[in-house]
Structures are given as structure tokens and as C-alpha cells.
Amino acid sequence: MSSLRHQALNELAKEEKNISHYNGKKISAMFNSNVFTGRTMREYLSDEAYKSLMSSIKSGSKIDRRMADQIASGMKAWSEERGVTHYTHWFQPLTGTTAEKHDSFFTIKSDGATIELFDGDALIQQEPDASSFPNGGIRATFEARGYTAWDPSSPAFIMESGHGKTLCIPTIFIAYNGESLDYKAPLLKSIAALDKAAVDVCHYFDKNVTKVTATLGWEQEYFVVDETLANARPDLVMCGRTLVGHAPAKGQQLEDHYFGSIPERTYAFMQDFEQESYKLGIPLRTRHNEVAPGQFECAPMFEECNIAVDHNSLLMDVMAKVAKRHKLKVLLHEKPFAGVNGSGKHNNWSLATDTGVNLLSPGKTPRTNLMFLTFFVNTIKAVHEHADLLRAAIASANNDHRLGANEAPPAIISVYIGKYLTEVLNEVETRVKDKFSEQDEVILKLDIHKQIPELLMDNTDRNRTSPFAFTGNKFEFRAVGSSANCGSPMTVLNTIMTNTLKEFKREVDALIEKGEKKEIAIMHVLRDYISKSRNILFEGDNYSDEWAEEAKRRGLNNFKTTPEALEAYVTEKAKQLFFDNGIYSKRELEARHEIMLEDYVKKVQIEARILGYMATNHILPAAVNYQNVLLNNVKGLKEVGLGEETYAAQLNLLKVISGHIQKINDNVEAMIEARKRANNEPDMHKRADMYCKEVKAHFDEIRYHADKLELLVDDTTWPLPKYRELLYLR
Ligand code: ADP
Ligand code: MG
């Protein structure tokens, strides 16, 4: 029987190309067609219901029951016209995927009448049987209830799958006592907290500001491989990454893929998933090839943070679904292939006022510049003080393969601001004097904006290696993993910014109370922040060894693994920070920490099992079979009376292969023992540590010998699709 690999390669040659395209359709015509937007609401809701919904979105207040009934009925009418039969609360539990449980509108009344029904109760709250979602011990077994609760600030949408259509209500997911069990609930809290803190600070400059919105524009990297080939690899099917596989003769060294022309089959897939995304209101703007072969990126226009996070989760689902139509598999894993660049998800973040100002965009006048400088310096200070939390927010078993692997940003968090702003900060630091005096007026007349030329917006002044870079009018957090839910890093960023702005206001107010002029007080506090946060600023090459040493001297942390990095969540400092700003109770934070450790353990555990299985059931048999071929050959040569010089190479090869077989076998056995030891460890942190240090330690060893065998064994009997096939054939 030929192997799955060979069947897949045969099929690939015969594959009919699915050529979907826009077919003359305008994007604006399909955009939002499956979304219950403000405009749709106007059409399907009474004036009263519409206004009540809008005001509750703006203020975050509760919607009363009667209004909820009206809104539900409008949603039902709208979706039924589009062929929807079912609805679901759509949420983002800490498993990292999205969750849905469909209910039909259909009900049977007590008198036997059958009708379609969707009322306010069903819209506002559901009680999914949620005992199997990760909860870190928050839900004791006697109280296994979890609730999903409607988030009116994210619009409902219709999800199409094949010919099925479901009305999806974005919700938060909480335990019976209100503790959060998802990404959205804390994110919403952090957005509201930041709104308040930022508005307060804005009032130093502009009393008209009543709302500040955190904005997020993510850039999603991904790989595309042929589905049939991927299905012949148990590691890709079960773990989303290859656990073995020798590097191809041609990798990314020619750098011919970046921004190259998009292969036709992938291009068709892109056009297809883009159209599905537009219907759902995801405002995709760009698509291009990435650095690695088979790697691509897409990015939308930025949106309000909560909606952007929902849209990213949705996009990841849509991509996976649509890929199937094209017999492709999209790999969102951070490191699907060793020796080839991994995938990230840049999170572009800024703050926008309801007066239309981007607070991280340098202004045109000294006054608006002081506002810019305030938010800019506060962000730097926030990152400086809480870099460990940002690192924790992006920690995962997957991302460990990427951070610090000399390609992605290192695990050291630092901030890049560019030459011009560095000069501006230097100037503020040296020219603002300790003594409050008339001199300080000079600073205010500095016209800082003249030193922030347009050049800043230019690509030339960007440092691509920085994990947290200022890019002209926003900060770009680049260390986020490609498969991650952006909710986690955004919650941390919003929270640390909230806390910093609150402190800033306290300090400025204290100086004003002492009789200082507002602007002078602000400049003094900013100068102090600049001095204190210097350590986090780094303009050089983040990939270099010198930086790792320099960072160490500066006292910056370099947590290379998830179990280490996650500890930042449960320090007293972190607990206080999240508690003070109303994001997590101490218990919630501990539970979350536990969940993330458990997730890490499970991921490594599954990989270890799959690796052991592939080694034993795929790789060793292929090696042994090939040895038998060699043995027969040697026997035959001997039989016909040829001398040893005719089979010396074969004998040597036999020995070399045996050596690799032995090593693989030993490591697989040792890995199983290490797993057993780790599983017996009751403390989750210790267990995660054991998986990290003792179980994973065997991965590289097994891989090394498996990859050697791949080079030695007859290609026609090697069972696993090779890197060159996965990366180049489609
Ligand atoms: P790049 O050169 O990195 O692609 P772009 O200006 O094209 O830079 O922006 C990249 C991402 O940043 C896009 O998703 C874009 O929507 C987002 N972005 C731009 N401005 C903001 C902002 N004010 N807040 C958040 N994201 C933004
Ligand atoms: Mg970018």
C-alpha cells in the first residue's frame, strides 16, 4: 500500500483549482450584509428601542427587559428574512477558540402550536452547560453554572456555514458569581477603565472630550498548505505544527517570497475568505506574501478595541472554514515549521477621543503637542513598569518557539520610539529644571512639533526588530502570537495605561494644588517619567546577543518560557494593579494563571504523545524497512560472490541508521517516563515546569535523529510529507 504522503502527492497533481474571485462585486455592496448594524437597527427597531440600545452602548448601562424583547424581535425578523433558523450566544472562552451552542427559534407552545420565538431573555442571558470549559477551579463542582451575557457594544451577526445560517450574539462568559471565564469580560472592563482615566487626563487640554476609545488594528500572519498533504502529517492535524521534518534545500534564504506575487490557489482562497469577512463587517484592507515560503498576512482597518478583538477571532474561524473549500489548510500556529520564520499578530494600538483626535498622533500646535507627549510618555512609563505583564499576556506554548528564536522579537520587552522622539525626550529631560521657575515657560514655547517631522511616518525610521514600537501615530505590539486571542494583550495594555494615567493625574493635581501652573506641572511629571523609564527604551537590533547582555545589565527580564513568564500575573504587584482598576479579583487572576499553566501542560503533553507516536509508528518502521532493503542487497551481493568493497557503503549505512533508531527509541522511552513523573505532580506550576524542562527536552533530540533518517531513507517509502512539499506545492 502506498503511504498517505504518496496518495496526497498524486492527488495534488490532479487537483482541480477552485478559482473564486470577486466576480465584479463591489466590496461596499457586501460589507456588513450579515451584520445587525446601526443602520439595520433603524429599520428593524422602534425609535424607542433603537435609542435605548444606542445609549446603553455609549454609557455601558443595562437594557431593560421590555426593550430587550423589542430588540430580540427585531433581530429575529431581520435574520429570518435571511433564512436564519437558529441563534447562538457566541463567546471566547479561555480555550483560545470561539464557542457556540445553537438553539432554534422554533418552539412548541403548551397548546401544541408551533412558532418561532426569540425574546429578550434569550438575547440577554444563556446558561450554557459549561462545566467542561477551563475555569481554573473557579466553578466548584457543586456550582457548575456559567452564564453568557449579551455584549450590546459588539453587533450581532449571521454566520454562514455551508447552507446553514445562524444568528450569533456576541457575549461575555462568566461564572455564577460574576467571575470572568473568557477574554471579553476583562477586556470590556479594561476598555471602560481606560476610557475614564484617559478622559480625565484629556481634560487638562480639552474639556470637550467625553469619551476615549482604545483602538486596535491587528495584522494576522498565517501559513497555507495543501490540505491533503497536511492530513498525511499527524503533527499538523493534531498540533498545528510539524514536530519533525528536515529543512528543505531552499528555505527563505533567497528572500524571494516577501511581497512576491501570490500563488493562484492561495489568491483564490484569499478572495473567498475576504468576501466572507466583508459580509461579517471585518474591514480587511491588505494582503501580501510574508517572508517565509507559504506564509501570508492580512490586516484590516483599525477599529474600536473590543470589536477588533471579536473580528480577529471571527476571521480566524472564517479562514479555517473557507480553506476547506479550497482543499487548503490554514496554519495559525506561531511556529509551524522549524528553521522557517514563524507567525505573529502585530497589535497596533492607540487612543481616540470622541472629538476626533488620535492621542498618539503628534499635534500641530504646542498645546496639542503637550497632549500627545503626555499620552506618549505615559505609555512608555506603563510598559516600563509592567513589561513583565505584557510578556505574560503573550505567553503560550506556541509562542515560546517564536519569541527569542532570532527571528521574532525577543522575549525581552523594550520600546522603540525612533530618533526624533528620542531627541524630544532628551530635550524635555535636560531643559526642564528641578526648580520651578519662569524658565519652564521656555519649554512650553519649544514647539516640539517642529521636531517631529513627517518623516516619522516613513518606513525608513522603523525598527522591525522591536517588540513594542512607536510607528508614527500608534504603538505596535509585535510579540503577540498568531493564534492568540488579542483580548489578553489588549486587556493588559489598557490596564497598565489606565493605572499610569491615574497616577499621572494624581501627581499633576498635587503640583497644581501647590500653586504650579498646569502646563508646568505636566512638564515636570513627564520629565520625571522620562528619567524613570529610560531603561525600557532601545533603538538597536533586538535580535542581537549584545542586546540580551545589555538588557540584563539594565535589569530587564528575559523570560524564555511560558511557565516563567506567567508568574508575573500572580505577583502581589499584579494582583493589586488588576484589583485597583477593577479588572480581576485576586481569585480570578489566580484562576486565570492556573488555566494558562494547564493549557501549557496540555499542549506540550499532546505534542509529546504525537511525537512519540510518529517516531514509533511512522519513522522507525520506515527506517527498519529500508534497512531490510539494504540487508537483502548486501546478502545478494555476497551470494553472487562479490567482495566487501561492493557492500561496504551499505553496511555503513545500516549501522548509521541503527544508531539513529536506537537514539530515537531511548528518547521516546525517556520522554514517556518524564511525562509520567510530571503528571504525578499535583502543583500546576511545578507540573508546567517539568513539562517545559523535562518532557520537552526530548523533542529536539528525537527530531534531530528523525530528520537525519529522513535524509537517509529511500524517498519512495518515507511516509511523511516533506518540508519542500508542504511549503512549495499547492
Ligand atoms: P504598516 O506599515 O505597519 O502596515 P499601517 O499604517 O498600514 O502600517 O497600519 C498597520 C495597522 O495599523 C493597520 O491594521 C491599521 O489599521 C492600524 N492602525 C493605523 N492607525 C491606527 C490607530 N490609530 N489605532 C490602531 N491601529 C491603527
Ligand atoms: Mg506592522
Side-chain angles (χ1 to χ4, degrees):
M1 197 199 101
S2 76
S3 71
L4 270 182
R5 169 179 169 228
H6 292 92
Q7 290 173 30
L9 287 169
N10 272 332
E11 258 176 64
L12 188 62
K14 290 184 292 189
E15 195 115 358
E16 265 184 53
K17 303 277 188 281
N18 174 346
I19 304 293
S20 21
H21 58 92
Y22 284 90
N23 211 357
K25 280 175 283 183
K26 266 196 169 177
I27 293 170
S28 54
M30 62 183 108
F31 191 69
N32 267 336
S33 59
N34 277 345
V35 184
F36 197 60
T37 58
R39 214 176 179 177
T40 325
M41 287 176 202
R42 270 237 157 279
E43 213 178 303
Y44 285 83
L45 301 182
S46 68
D47 245 17
E48 191 191 13
Y50 175 76
K51 279 187 190 137
S52 128
L53 180 54
M54 285 300 147
S55 87
S56 95
I57 290 173
K58 182 142 200 275
S59 64
S61 61
K62 259 203 158 139
I63 290 173
D64 76 48
R65 178 57 215 276
R66 200 171 54 86
M67 282 306 134
D69 275 340
Q70 282 197 30
I71 297 163
S73 131
M75 274 185 192
K76 174 170 152 284
W78 169 74
S79 47
E80 279 187 320
E81 276 171 31
R82 280 153 187 79
V84 171
T85 50
H86 287 64
Y87 68 93
T88 180
H89 276 195
W90 180 83
F91 57 105
Q92 299 165 60
L94 296 170
T95 45
T97 51
T98 58
E100 36 190 279
K101 172 182 164 253
H102 299 192
D103 282 297
S104 64
F105 293 140
F106 170 78
T107 23
I108 302 178
K109 290 284 201 192
S110 52
D111 63 355
T114 55
I115 56 160
E116 263 76 26
L117 196 73
F118 182 53
D119 62 11
D121 278 348
L123 168 66
I124 289 180
Q125 190 173 302
Q126 293 267 290
E127 199 178 313
D129 175 24
S131 44
S132 46
F133 288 105
N135 58 70
I138 270 191
R139 269 172 302 140
T141 36
F142 62 88
E143 187 46 289
R145 271 180 302 157
Y147 295 107
T148 51
W150 179 33
D151 165 22
S153 64
S154 183
F157 56 90
I158 296 169
M159 181 66 113
E160 298 179 39
S161 188
H163 293 290
K165 290 183 180 184
T166 308
L167 172 66
C168 297
I169 316 288
T171 56
I172 58 168
F173 180 43
I174 49 177
Y176 70 100
N177 57 2
E179 287 170 337
S180 61
L181 296 170
D182 70 346
Y183 290 106
K184 190 193 263 278
L187 175 68
L188 287 173
K189 289 177 186 168
S190 76
I191 288 170
L194 180 54
D195 174 14
K196 166 129 197 5
V199 166
D200 285 349
V201 171
C202 278
H203 284 175
Y204 286 135
F205 310 98
D206 183 356
K207 293 275 182 221
N208 294 318
V209 174
T210 64
K211 192 173 173 68
V212 171
T213 310
T215 54
L216 164 64
W218 39 262
E219 300 163 61
Q220 176 75 53
E221 291 181 336
Y222 60 95
F223 278 85
V224 175
V225 295
D226 178 79
E227 188 187 31
T228 324
L229 280 176
N231 284 344
R233 301 243 354 180
D235 46 5
L236 279 182
V237 172
M238 305 302 285
C239 315
R241 77 169 176 115
T242 56
L243 298 167
V244 294
H246 199 280
K250 172 179 184 284
Q252 59 192 57
Q253 69 272 54
L254 294 179
E255 298 183 330
D256 53 356
H257 189 68
Y258 193 47
F259 282 6
S261 69
I262 299 168
E264 197 171 88
R265 196 167 160 212
T266 311
Y267 188 39
F269 159 62
M270 286 176 174
Q271 297 185 62
D272 205 357
F273 86 68
E274 284 166 3
Q275 292 181 60
E276 294 301 333
S277 303
Y278 291 136
K279 289 196 236 167
L280 293 164
I282 306 170
L284 290 177
R285 270 292 288 282
T286 63
R287 58 161 104 99
H288 63 82
N289 287 1
E290 261 304 326
V291 178
Q295 192 188 28
F296 307 90
E297 181 188 292
C298 66
M301 258 174 283
F302 70 91
E303 301 176 275
E304 184 277 317
C305 191
N306 174 39
I307 295 185
V309 171
D310 280 1
H311 279 166
N312 183 248
S313 297
L314 254 182
L315 175 96
M316 293 195 284
D317 286 352
V318 167
M319 284 172 100
K321 267 185 206 162
V322 174
K324 280 201 153 304
R325 289 183 205 158
H326 297 256
K327 297 205 185 121
L328 292 170
K329 190 175 170 75
V330 56
L331 305 177
L332 293 166
H333 194 288
E334 282 71 0
K335 191 74 182 174
F337 302 100
V340 171
N341 266 17
S343 301
K345 176 149 50 199
H346 295 180
N347 278 206
N348 296 271
W349 173 90
S350 190
L351 298 169
T353 69
D354 56 350
T355 53
V357 174
N358 176 354
L359 292 170
L360 289 174
S361 190
K364 292 261 187 288
T365 64
R367 197 173 59 104
T368 51
N369 252 314
L370 192 55
M371 179 154 91
F372 159 72
L373 206 58
T374 295
F375 284 91
F376 179 69
V377 170
N378 270 280
T379 311
I380 294 170
K381 178 176 179 250
V383 176
H384 176 251
E385 257 173 47
H386 303 286
D388 290 354
L389 275 181
L390 280 175
R391 171 67 185 94
I394 51 160
S396 70
N398 295 0
N399 217 10
D400 279 359
H401 295 287
R402 199 176 143 255
L403 298 179
N406 284 331
E407 45 143 309
I412 309 159
I413 301 290
S414 68
V415 181
Y416 168 83
I417 58 172
K419 196 165 90 223
Y420 294 96
L421 284 162
T422 303
E423 279 168 20
V424 169
L425 296 195
N426 289 344
E427 194 131 0
V428 172
E429 203 182 5
T430 50
R431 300 211 28 195
V432 179
K433 298 281 177 272
D434 279 331
K435 227 163 124 291
F436 292 92
S437 70
E438 285 306 300
Q439 258 195 88
D440 291 327
E441 299 270 15
V442 176
I443 301 301
L444 299 174
K445 296 191 189 103
L446 255 180
D447 270 15
I448 295 161
H449 68 290
K450 287 201 183 126
Q451 299 172 34
I452 308 175
E454 300 295 314
L455 233 175
L456 197 68
M457 304 290 191
D458 191 19
N459 269 321
T460 51
D461 193 32
R462 288 187 181 188
N463 182 334
R464 294 273 165 204
T465 67
S466 173
F468 200 93
F470 185 69
T471 48
N473 56 0
K474 61 193 183 283
F475 278 98
E476 187 169 341
F477 190 17
R478 303 209 182 100
V480 183
S482 50
S483 69
N485 186 304
C486 304
S488 161
M490 286 298 107
T491 300
V492 167
L493 191 49
N494 293 341
T495 305
I496 63 179
M497 188 63 173
T498 303
N499 200 63
T500 306
L501 289 172
K502 277 157 71 175
E503 271 171 21
F504 175 76
K505 184 162 162 47
R506 276 197 295 274
E507 291 180 42
V508 171
D509 283 352
L511 289 180
I512 293 173
E513 233 157 76
K514 281 192 196 150
E516 265 322 312
K517 269 210 199 110
K518 183 174 74 185
E519 283 82 0
I520 305 242
I522 290 171
M523 281 309 256
H524 272 271
V525 177
L526 289 182
R527 187 196 61 163
D528 182 41
Y529 284 10
I530 293 167
S531 306
K532 280 184 183 150
S533 314
R534 283 239 163 255
N535 261 349
I536 202 80
L537 297 177
F538 181 62
E539 304 286 304
D541 179 3
N542 282 259
Y543 298 177
S544 67
D545 294 334
E546 294 77 54
W547 170 230
E549 286 157 28
E550 160 79 14
K552 200 171 177 183
R553 276 194 296 278
R554 292 192 193 184
L556 301 180
N557 282 320
N558 185 2
F559 297 128
K560 289 202 188 284
T561 67
T562 294
E564 267 180 292
L566 287 178
E567 282 308 287
Y569 268 130
V570 285
T571 61
E572 278 314 307
K573 181 179 162 195
K575 286 182 187 169
Q576 202 60 45
L577 170 84
F578 285 112
F579 180 77
D580 287 348
N581 293 289
I583 314 299
Y584 296 118
S585 69
K586 296 185 179 180
R587 206 164 83 100
E588 271 176 297
L589 206 51
E590 273 161 9
R592 203 157 279 250
H593 177 241
E594 181 97 357
I595 291 168
M596 287 182 288
L597 284 173
E598 202 177 327
D599 180 69
Y600 176 84
V601 164
K602 282 182 186 158
K603 289 229 169 81
V604 180
Q605 184 179 47
I606 291 168
E607 288 191 347
R609 285 182 187 151
I610 296 291
L611 181 57
Y613 162 78
M614 285 170 75
T616 314
N617 300 59
H618 287 73
I619 294 161
L620 294 189
V624 170
N625 281 338
Y626 185 51
Q627 279 191 317
N628 289 339
V629 172
L630 292 170
L631 272 177
N632 280 334
N633 177 258
V634 172
K635 272 194 221 150
L637 292 170
K638 268 189 183 168
E639 257 170 43
V640 296
L642 291 170
E644 186 164 352
E645 74 281 1
T646 61
Y647 53 79
Q650 289 88 321
L651 283 182
N652 187 48
L653 200 48
L654 276 165
K655 267 193 247 159
V656 173
I657 292 175
S658 282
H660 292 307
I661 289 176
Q662 192 60 48
K663 288 279 189 196
I664 289 177
N665 190 65
D666 293 350
N667 271 287
V668 169
E669 276 177 10
M671 181 172 73
I672 292 169
E673 286 309 311
R675 231 158 59 213
K676 279 188 196 153
R677 283 195 304 277
N679 292 343
N680 283 332
E681 170 56 57
D683 179 89
M684 194 52 85
H685 179 80
K686 284 193 193 135
R687 193 188 304 171
D689 226 32
M690 288 168 86
Y691 264 95
C692 178
K693 298 201 177 105
E694 293 167 31
V695 178
K696 257 181 88 179
H698 298 285
F699 285 21
D700 283 348
E701 278 284 304
I702 296 171
R703 176 174 199 135
Y704 174 82
H705 295 285
D707 291 356
K708 286 283 178 210
L709 286 175
E710 184 188 317
L711 291 187
L712 297 173
V713 170
D714 179 5
D715 180 66
T716 57
T717 55
W718 189 257
L720 301 165
K722 297 184 172 179
Y723 267 29
R724 63 164 186 272
E725 293 154 354
L726 293 164
L727 291 169
Y728 290 100
L729 299 186
R730 83 194 106 245

